């Protein structure tokens, strides 16, 4: 499978060509095996500058095309994603470590994101009104210019599609900065965009880590920055980009609470909660991290333990991203044990036969966690769920509200009235009712609250149209002879 990597030396993609940049490089490692699969350039400010110049050069022609013309390229591109589904899926599996099925779901979601972008001509229709006799005001959405998108490791294909289809069909040109841990999927994205007919310079890729992110925040040619990653870095990026007077939306980490009530449907709840905490090895910003069990829910916890025992690393559970991630996750479990919590299912020390160098953590359920423990408060980002017991729904909502994060929250119950209370009072941007991973489907936008997102816009759906465009307001008097006061 490692032969899938066509360029063992990943290159930057600037002005429609793969170019060798960077003064230093790093290894790209597959977390499935621990093997090095490629090397990656650590680009410099000058490399970024070259990409920005290419994007600036491409902008006038690209932005002057009609929306309908630009969308045609994305119809073709979506078809290419479908045609190359197996290869794209294998790449995500190889570089990120998630299972083949999870990787395939990611490509399918990328296609859905393209479908939304292709529907822009139906949505972005602009506005015009005759404000007084013979005088009209109109609003047109105009692109910003060169924009940037910075991605995390956990969805190497999908997260780049949160931004690139919408930003490009709306007339911007883009610099993409993939996670240095998973740069391979974006290489194929660039190739397929070219095959679909995207003009050179409209989409560019600059690889690297911290230095290149800082360069993106500082470069005067970049008008807007979107970021997805941890809260720590989201804060740095948001502050730095906005202090350089750029538009910015920065999505951060999460600690999602699932409130489980005693009347919840037993099988559905247990399987949903376990799937939410263990899917993609818990490396989803929408994963269940804390289950708040309200009153008598022991029967549901017992069933969850049964469900978790069916999950086998290397079989229906992928790897975590790195050795450091495995150590961090296992460290949290050990700390919880020391703090007095009870480990019901223990994923520490997991290995996979034939892939002993890979980074695996088994599903882990920790009971009798208290809100002050680190496993209750901090983002673990692994297949681990902490159970906090609450006496009633008010206490459960209070526990959820005290989290610094606010990406998602969910309630499991068969009572509409109780579900409504959680819908109203949970302090999170995305709420699930009997849904463990409440990702809004297109055209509904994706974005959290509190320390899970900085900036006004959500990153997808209609909200992203606001983010990637600016309004031009024009007032026109069509008939100069008419004695019309335009303010009348
Ligand atoms: P990360 O913050 O470490 O890295 C994200 C990006 O920032 C990468 O491209 C990386 O190169 C860059 N970066 C890393 N450290 C930097 C620094 N000090 N200064 C400037 N740039 C830096 O995140 P990650 O580990 O790749 O991804 C996991 C995190 O992303 C989790 O916290 C997860 O919750 C979050 N995430 C959030 C969402 C969301 O929608 N809110 C979605 C996906 C992932």
């Amino acid at each position: 499978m490692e032969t899938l990597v066509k360029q063992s030396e990943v290159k930057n993609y600037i002005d429609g060509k793969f170019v060798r940049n960077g003064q230093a490089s790093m290894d790209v490692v597959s977390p499935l095996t621990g093997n090095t699969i490629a090397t990656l350039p650590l680009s410099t400010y000058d490399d970024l500058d070259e990409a920005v110049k290419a994007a600036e050069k491409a902008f006038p022609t690209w932005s002057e095309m009609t929306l309908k013309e630009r969308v045609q390229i994305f119809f073709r591109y979506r078809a290419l994603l479908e045609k190359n589904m197996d290869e794209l899926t294998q790449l995500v599996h190889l570089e990120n470590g998630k299972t083949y099925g999870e990787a395939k779901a990611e490509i399918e979601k990328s296609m859905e994101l393209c479908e939304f972008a292709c529907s822009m001509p139906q949505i972005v229709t602009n506005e015009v009104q005759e404000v007084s006799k013979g005088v009209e005001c109109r609003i047109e959405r105009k692109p910003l210019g060169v924009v940037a998108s910075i991605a995390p490791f956990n969805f190497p294909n999908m997260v780049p599609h949160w931004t690139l289809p919408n930003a490009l069909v709306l007339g911007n040109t883009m610099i993409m900065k993939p996670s240095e841990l998973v740069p391979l999927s974006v290489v194929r994205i660039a190739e397929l965009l070219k095959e679909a007919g995207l003009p050179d310079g409209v989409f560019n890729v600059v690889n690297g880590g911290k230095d290149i992110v800082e360069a993106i925040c500082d470069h005067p040619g970049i008008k807007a920055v979107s970021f997805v990653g941890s809260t720590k870095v989201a804060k740095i990026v948001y502050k730095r980009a906005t202090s350089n007077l750029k538009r910015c939306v920065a999505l951060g980490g999460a600690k999602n609470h699932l409130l489980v009530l005693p009347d919840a449907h037993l099988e559905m709840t247990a399987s949903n909660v376990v799937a939410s905490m263990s899917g993609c090895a818990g490396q989803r910003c929408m994963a269940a991290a804390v289950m708040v069990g309200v009153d008598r829910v022991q029967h549901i916890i017992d069933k969850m333990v049964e469900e978790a025992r069916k999950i086998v690393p290397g079989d229906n559970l992928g790897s975590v991203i790195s050795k450091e991630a495995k150590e961090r996750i296992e460290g949290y479990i050990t700390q919880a044990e020391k703090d007095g919590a009870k480990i019901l299912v223990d994923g520490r020390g997991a290995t996979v036969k034939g892939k002993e160098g890979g980074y695996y953590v088994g599903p882990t359920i920790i009971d009798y966690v208290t809100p002050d423990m680190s496993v209750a408060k901090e983002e673990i980002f692994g297949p681990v769920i902490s159970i906090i017991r609450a006496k009633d729904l008010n206490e459960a909502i209070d526990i959820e509200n005290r989290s610094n994060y606010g990406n998602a929250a969910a309630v499991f119950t068969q009572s509409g009235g109780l579900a409504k209370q959680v819908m109203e009072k949970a302090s999170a941007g995305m709420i699930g009712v009997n849904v463990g991973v409440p990702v809004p489907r297109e055209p509904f936008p994706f974005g959290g609250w509190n320390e899970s997102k900085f900036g006004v816009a959500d990153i997808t759906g209609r909200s992203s149209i606001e983010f990637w465009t600016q309004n031009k307001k024009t007032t026109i008097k069509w008939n100069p002879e008419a004695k019309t006061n335009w303010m009348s």
Side-chain angles (χ1 to χ4, degrees):
M1 189 177 45
E2 289 169 14
T3 51
L4 263 176
V5 184
K6 291 178 185 151
Q7 297 180 6
S8 58
E9 181 190 1
V10 176
K11 299 189 182 81
N12 287 345
Y13 182 72
I14 298 176
D15 208 9
K17 290 173 262 323
F18 286 99
V19 291
R20 182 175 288 144
N21 283 145
Q23 287 162 355
S25 67
M26 62 175 274
D27 287 344
V28 181
V29 171
S30 172
L32 292 172
T33 56
N35 294 343
T36 297
I37 49 175
T39 58
L40 177 89
L42 296 173
S43 309
T44 62
Y45 187 92
D46 288 346
D47 304 328
L48 174 69
D49 191 50
E50 201 182 316
V52 173
K53 287 202 173 91
E56 280 173 338
K57 190 174 74 169
F59 179 69
T61 311
W62 178 245
S63 59
E64 280 164 24
M65 282 167 68
T66 63
L67 181 53
K68 283 205 175 222
E69 281 172 322
R70 288 192 296 260
V71 157
Q72 299 315 309
I73 294 167
F74 277 84
F75 276 114
R76 293 197 290 273
Y77 173 69
R78 184 213 169 275
L80 287 171
L81 289 179
E82 191 166 23
K83 187 174 160 206
N84 293 277
M85 171 80 78
D86 179 56
E87 186 200 350
L88 294 166
T89 301
Q90 294 282 9
L91 265 183
V92 170
H93 173 56
L94 175 69
E95 65 177 340
N96 171 277
K98 62 181 69 175
T99 66
Y100 184 89
E102 289 165 347
K104 185 161 184 265
E106 187 174 332
I107 315 302
E108 285 164 354
K109 183 67 196 175
S110 297
M111 285 164 52
E112 186 171 297
L113 289 156
C114 288
E115 285 158 20
F116 177 70
C118 289
S119 75
M120 286 295 182
Q122 278 66 51
I123 302 172
V124 185
T125 49
N126 298 327
E127 289 172 39
V128 58
Q129 190 184 111
E130 188 174 36
V131 289
S132 55
K133 201 71 201 148
V135 178
E136 77 186 31
C137 280
R138 55 198 288 159
I139 296 178
E140 291 163 283
R141 291 207 167 271
K142 298 290 184 186
L144 304 174
V146 181
V147 299
S149 177
I150 302 163
F153 78 79
N154 62 333
F155 284 90
N157 191 295
M158 182 194 75
V159 168
H161 287 96
W162 275 359
T163 55
L164 88 87
N166 293 356
L168 298 195
V169 300
L170 290 167
N172 300 286
T173 57
M174 177 175 269
I175 313 295
M176 175 68 66
K177 207 300 277 176
S179 163
E180 62 274 39
L181 303 177
V182 294
L184 303 172
S185 292
V186 172
V187 170
R188 277 305 279 148
I189 289 170
E191 287 172 347
L192 294 178
L193 282 168
K194 184 155 180 141
E195 194 178 332
L198 192 75
D200 292 347
V202 173
F203 179 74
N204 305 276
V205 184
V206 177
N207 286 288
K210 176 176 181 285
D211 290 352
I212 207 69
V213 170
E214 290 175 354
I216 285 172
C217 295
D218 293 345
H219 198 294
I222 295 174
K223 306 291 182 224
V225 176
S226 78
F227 171 88
V228 182
S230 61
T231 291
K232 178 176 147 254
V233 183
K235 284 181 182 172
I236 295 171
V237 168
Y238 188 77
K239 282 187 194 159
R240 195 156 174 157
T242 55
S243 77
N244 283 316
L245 308 178
K246 298 181 199 309
R247 223 174 245 207
C248 184
V249 61
L251 271 57
K255 189 80 184 172
N256 304 313
H257 288 55
L258 268 51
L259 280 51
V260 175
L261 276 58
D263 73 332
H265 185 281
L266 177 61
E267 283 80 17
M268 188 269 285
T269 303
S271 62
N272 262 264
V273 175
V274 170
S276 175
M277 72 94 164
S278 63
C280 297
Q283 299 175 122
R284 280 192 290 210
C285 63
M286 295 296 277
V290 174
M291 166 177 153
V292 188
V294 179
D295 199 14
R296 277 167 291 171
V297 291
Q298 189 58 46
H299 61 299
I300 299 175
I301 294 171
D302 292 342
K303 189 79 185 158
M304 282 166 54
V305 169
E306 204 183 304
E307 288 293 320
R309 294 204 193 284
K310 295 181 195 159
I311 297 173
V312 181
D315 182 3
N316 53 358
L317 178 68
S319 65
V320 297
I321 190 67
S322 62
K323 185 165 177 284
E324 295 73 36
K326 177 176 163 72
E327 287 168 3
R328 187 194 65 240
I329 297 161
E330 294 188 339
Y332 270 111
I333 303 168
T334 303
Q335 186 60 47
E337 201 170 33
K338 282 190 195 146
D339 291 342
K342 190 172 170 197
I343 317 292
L344 301 182
V345 181
D346 189 350
R348 284 172 294 184
T351 51
V352 173
K353 202 159 180 288
K355 291 179 180 167
E356 284 75 10
Y359 315 122
Y360 296 89
V361 180
T364 300
I365 300 179
I366 312 177
D367 201 359
Y368 297 106
V369 170
T370 53
D372 55 312
M373 292 182 193
S374 57
V375 285
K377 292 189 293 195
E378 294 165 25
E379 184 178 39
I380 302 173
F381 223 50
V384 178
I385 193 158
S386 305
I387 302 175
I388 302 179
R389 307 276 188 144
K391 64 176 182 316
D392 57 29
L393 186 57
N394 284 339
E395 187 188 348
I397 291 171
D398 191 50
I399 291 166
E400 190 280 335
N401 284 180
R402 272 188 271 138
S403 172
N404 290 338
Y405 297 101
N407 216 36
V411 57
F412 285 83
T413 178
Q414 297 189 60
S415 156
L418 296 175
K420 190 83 190 339
Q421 278 190 49
V422 177
M423 288 164 61
E424 298 286 336
K425 293 186 180 161
S427 182
M430 294 170 279
I431 308 293
V433 176
N434 297 321
V435 173
V437 186
V439 177
R441 299 282 298 269
E442 309 309 305
F444 296 92
F446 186 103
W449 283 8
N450 309 326
E451 298 218 333
S452 292
K453 192 188 77 177
F454 304 94
V456 177
D458 286 325
I459 203 159
T460 63
R462 285 174 186 273
S463 183
S464 72
I465 300 171
E466 295 286 335
F467 185 73
W468 296 120
T469 57
Q470 51 196 341
N471 283 340
K472 182 168 270 184
K473 288 75 61 178
T474 308
T475 305
I476 314 157
K477 191 172 179 181
W478 288 113
N479 180 357
E481 287 78 42
K483 292 194 175 21
T484 314
N485 175 0
W486 69 272
M487 288 292 280
S488 66

